[in-house]
Amino acid sequence: MASTEKNQTRRKFISWGIASAALLAAVKFISPTPPKKGTVKMLGEDGKLVEVDIAALPSAKKKITNGELKSWIKK
């Protein structure tokens, strides 16, 4: 009788452990991340290295068209 009670409590313990780990993982992925602060180094139009504030960069990424790409390439 004692072994079946141990198995049931062990199953409950393992179930609660798995459920709590899943809950912590879900909270980590759902919670919004704060905006990053600082600067990023990029090349300017003249080829010099400049530092740009991260807050000034657009957050939504946009794919450029082939026409825009061709106008950026210098011959």
Side-chain angles (χ1 to χ4, degrees):
M1 195 75 170
S3 66
T4 58
E5 289 177 13
K6 279 186 179 180
N7 286 341
Q8 288 179 349
T9 57
R10 187 177 297 156
R11 285 181 186 156
K12 284 182 183 179
F13 177 74
I14 291 173
S15 298
W16 279 104
I18 291 172
S20 62
L23 181 64
L24 289 175
V27 167
K28 185 177 180 180
F29 285 111
I30 292 173
S31 65
T33 57
K36 295 181 181 179
K37 296 180 181 178
T39 59
V40 176
K41 292 182 181 181
M42 298 181 137
L43 286 176
E45 290 181 7
D46 55 356
K48 292 184 181 179
L49 196 62
V50 295
E51 288 191 19
V52 179
D53 189 20
I54 292 177
L57 297 174
S59 60
K61 295 179 178 153
K62 179 184 114 180
K63 187 174 178 181
I64 64 169
T65 63
N66 287 340
E68 289 175 327
L69 180 63
K70 289 177 184 176
S71 69
W72 291 354
I73 298 174
K74 295 180 181 178
K75 293 183 181 182

